[in-house]
């Protein structure tokens, strides 16, 4: 397993919550927090936050 960039994981976990709170002026709900956690966890498992992630051609 490659090491994860923990700062990036935390940023991606918090970003949708801050967006909801500060930009949309909506409350952060348990459901929105659960969704942010699930999406961030899936991205981390897929290697999206690894410091040396592979580059894919489009």
């Amino acid at each position: 397993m490659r090491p994860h960039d923990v700062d990036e994981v935390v940023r991606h976990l918090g970003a949708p919550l801050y967006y909801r709170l500060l930009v949309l002026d909506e409350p952060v709900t348990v459901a929105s927090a659960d969704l942010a956690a699930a999406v961030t966890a899936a991205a981390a498992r897929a290697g999206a936050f690894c410091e040396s992630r592979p580059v894919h051609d489009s």
Side-chain angles (χ1 to χ4, degrees):
M1 180 195 292
R2 295 175 295 178
H4 286 79
D5 183 343
V6 177
D7 290 335
E8 281 301 307
V9 173
V10 172
R11 283 185 194 103
H12 282 79
L13 175 62
L17 305 177
Y18 279 103
Y19 180 80
R20 183 180 189 95
L21 184 65
L22 301 175
V23 175
L24 299 178
D25 196 29
E26 295 177 357
V28 174
T29 63
V30 171
S32 62
D34 285 347
L35 179 60
V39 170
T40 303
R45 281 191 298 273
F49 305 115
C50 290
E51 294 175 359
S52 59
R53 59 186 172 270
V55 176
H56 298 284
D57 291 332
S58 301

